[in-house]
């Protein structure tokens, strides 16, 4: 990776408020920018709004507003949403700003003077919604091939950019720069487009048809075609000028990445690259086209879009979870569906269960058994070495994937480590180490678990900046240094690490506001989502051996509460009737101790003493002894049933008396 990194999002039309598609690209750009900054590289991130053109003009007219007043107002919801999503863009360009319009005019003049822009009469099918002409053969069923909207036959004088002149240069460029267009599947679409003859590009609109745009400097009767204007934002914002650019431009250009949706890859790759060639400049290093989101299985429109309104999502799920879900759920480049049921599943499985639990278990056990301070490492065992090696490998894979914009694969790599952390706890059995008084080893084990949490806090930072900070604070970690994520020894021994609140409380059901919104906007999805979400939540409750507190109607205990109960396998070596109670029996149960335990059990309704001798049972071994009708009981037998016993809980005969049950 070069030292300097420049990334852009498309500039969004201000014909409406921002939706999840806009948020998606912007979050992706933010994540990769944060990552590079975290690595000490100079990253520059540009986004903005596209404020000219037919769509925006129509939106202003529909609101009865002057276009400038309309765009001044509607660029704000974008800026506000980026603030709420904690987008760290360095600049926000608006195409109505003089710093941009001046550059567009200068570019037009330069290309006009050079003969690369010429006037001609043009006849063709014009699509109002796409703001472009089509030839007869382009049409699909007589309609616009992109929008499916009706087209009208127009004949008028217009200005054209000699795009055809640069088509071969573009073909060569693509051949020489295999990483220029990504992902591969989308690259093929552009190659298909370039296989056909490339025409010149109409870059003007007569004033009488569209009065809103940058006037052509050489003919005031026309405004600039919105795409020719908008694409130049990527260079105007960083100091490009055809008569002499700033130093800033030479350090930033060519951009590292232009992130775009799949629908606008052609305009970016063909229009913009040929424009740059005409100006004697190079295109960006990579144009990366992502896929489109559907909503609850349907194409995103006005009402489906509102069902996933970014503000609603942030309010109900929290900003970090929204950022995480969008980049984790589908590979960047592919299409995907946003459903609230899927959101809840992903949230509970990855954030609440995997990461949330790892953090909560590790911190709680450290608090309970090790005084709530980072314990010292002990000598590595083979299993410890495997975990350390995995941490090093995770950093490698994570870095490679995120830098290639494979966000979901980067997160998958991190989750492999998080899951390994949970498995490590299960394998090492810290509760056993505690019981057996193996304090040094217990400390070493818990230290490694806390170290895995530290690695997760570092690598999760670009995606979930708040939760990552929260976790780092719990662990006493200041700067989230990437280099320190490859080793399991970055914490400070003795630093206090109180568990505090769970990082990601479980979602037990769809938030009420989401249920209401879905019911109002996509009723068919509402029921399905709620049912699915409930079923999934139940399933995860069962699957997750350790879960954080919930607010379910059944009171829940934490894993730590559960670990307080010491269950042991035992063998009944003697049994007799209780001298003072018909319903009770008095048993002697061998649980591997010097003497069998005396246990009084209320099972006489089901068993006679003779039935019991030799049975392998389970007992609660750490109950305080109690006198039952005059006989001391030193434990409790596990049995099924309510008031009347249906049967004893027994264990496999292979289990030795005293074996831990968990
Ligand atoms: N103004 C132009 C871009 C000019 S860039 C020089 C434009 N604006 S837009 O507001 O209509 O769309 C912006 C982006 O949103 C595009 O990248 C588009 O792919 C993306 N999306 C629109 N709907 C989307 C989904 N349903 N899902 C994902 N992204 C979507 O085009």
């Amino acid at each position: 990776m070069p030292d300097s990194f420049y990334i852009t999002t498309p500039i969004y039309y201000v014909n409406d408020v921002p939706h999840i598609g806009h948020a998606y690209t912007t979050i992706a750009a933010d994540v990769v920018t944060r990552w590079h900054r975290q690595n000490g590289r100079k990253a520059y991130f540009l986004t903005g709004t596209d404020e000219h053109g037919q769509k925006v003009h129509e939106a202003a007219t529909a609101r009865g507003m002057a276009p400038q007043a309309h765009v001044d107002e509607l660029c704000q919801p974008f800026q506000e949403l980026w603030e709420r999503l904690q987008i760290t863009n360095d600049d926000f360009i608006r195409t109505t700003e003089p710093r941009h319009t001046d550059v567009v005019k200068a570019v037009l003049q330069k290309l006009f003077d050079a003969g690369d822009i010429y006037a001609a009469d043009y006849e063709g099918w014009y699509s109002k919604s796409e703001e472009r002409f089509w030839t007869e053969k382009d049409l699909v069923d007589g309609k616009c091939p992109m929008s499916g909207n009706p087209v009208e036959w127009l004949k008028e004088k217009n200005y054209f950019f000699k795009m055809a002149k640069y088509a071969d240069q573009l073909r060569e460029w693509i051949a020489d720069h295999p990483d220029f267009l990504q992902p591969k599947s989308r690259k093929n679409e552009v190659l298909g487009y370039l296989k056909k003859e490339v025409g010149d590009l109409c870059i003007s609109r007569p004033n009488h048809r569209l009065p809103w745009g940058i006037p052509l400097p050489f003919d005031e009767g026309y405004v600039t075609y919105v795409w020719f204007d908008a694409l130049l934002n990527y260079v105007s914002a960083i100091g490009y000028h055809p008569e002499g650019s700033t130093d800033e431009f030479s350090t930033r250009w060519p951009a590292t990445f232009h992130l775009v949706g799949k629908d606008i890859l052609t305009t970016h790759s063909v229009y913009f690259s040929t424009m740059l060639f005409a100006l004697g400049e190079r295109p960006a290093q990579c144009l990366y086209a992502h896929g489109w989101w559907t909503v609850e299985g349907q194409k995103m429109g006005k009402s489906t879009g509102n069902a996933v309104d970014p503000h609603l999502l942030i309010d109900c799920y929290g900003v970090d979870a929204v950022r995480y879900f969008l980049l984790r759920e589908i590979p960047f480049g592919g299409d995907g569906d946003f459903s609230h049921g899927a959101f809840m599943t992903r949230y509970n499985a990855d954030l609440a269960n995997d990461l949330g639990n790892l953090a909560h278990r590790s911190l709680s056990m450290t608090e309970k058994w090790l005084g709530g301070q980072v314990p010292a490492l002990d000598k590595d065992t083979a299993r410890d070495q495997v975990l350390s090696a995995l941490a090093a490998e995770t950093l490698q894979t994570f870095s490679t994937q995120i830098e290639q914009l494979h966000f979901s694969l980067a997160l998958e790599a991190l989750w492999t480590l998080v899951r390994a952390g949970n498995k490590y706890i299960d394998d090492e059995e810290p509760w056993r180490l505690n019981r057996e008084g193996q304090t040094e080893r217990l400390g070493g084990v818990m230290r490694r678990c806390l170290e895995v949490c530290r690695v997760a806090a570092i690598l999760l930072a670009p995606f979930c900046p708040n939760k990552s900070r929260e976790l780092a604070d719990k662990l006493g970690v200041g700067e989230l240094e990437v280099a320190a994520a490859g080793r399991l020894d970055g914490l400070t021994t003795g630093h206090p690490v109180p568990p505090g609140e769970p990082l990601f409380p479980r979602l037990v059901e769809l938030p009420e506001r989401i249920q209401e919104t879905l019911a109002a906007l996509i009723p068919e999805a509402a029921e399905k989502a709620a049912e699915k979400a409930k079923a999934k939540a139940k399933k995860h409750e069962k699957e997750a051996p350790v879960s954080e507190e919930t607010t379910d109607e059944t009171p829940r205990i934490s894993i730590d509460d559960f670990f307080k109960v010491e269950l042991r396998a035992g063998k009944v070596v003697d049994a007799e009737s209780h001298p003072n109670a018909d319903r009770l029996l008095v048993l002697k149960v061998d649980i591997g101790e010097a003497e069998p335990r005396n246990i009084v059990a209320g099972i006489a309704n089901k068993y006679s003493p003779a039935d019991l001798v030799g049975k392998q049972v389970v007992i609660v071994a750490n109950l305080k002894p109690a006198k039952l009708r005059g006989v001391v009981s030193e434990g409790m037998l596990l049995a099924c049933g309510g008031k009347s016993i249906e049967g004893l809980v027994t264990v496999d005969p292979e289990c030795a008396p005293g074996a831990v049950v968990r």
Side-chain angles (χ1 to χ4, degrees), residues 122-126 133 152-156 209:
Y122 192 80
E123 270 187 278
W125 291 108
Y126 186 73
F133 284 98
E152 54 183 318
W153 185 258
L154 282 182
K155 179 177 177 192
E156 62 190 19
R209 198 146 52 75

Side-chain angles (χ1 to χ4, degrees), residues 9-13 15 19-22 24-25 50 55 78 227 230-231 233-234 259-264 268 290-294 300:
T9 71
I11 48 173
Y12 305 110
Y13 283 132
N15 54 345
H19 55 60
I20 196 81
H22 303 131
Y24 182 46
T25 330
D50 191 349
K55 282 183 194 169
F78 285 89
W227 273 102
L231 287 162
N233 90 88
Y234 301 129
L259 303 194
V260 295
K262 62 180 182 179
D263 55 319
I264 58 173
H268 279 77
H290 64 70
W292 269 40
W293 287 93
T294 50
M300 190 159 74

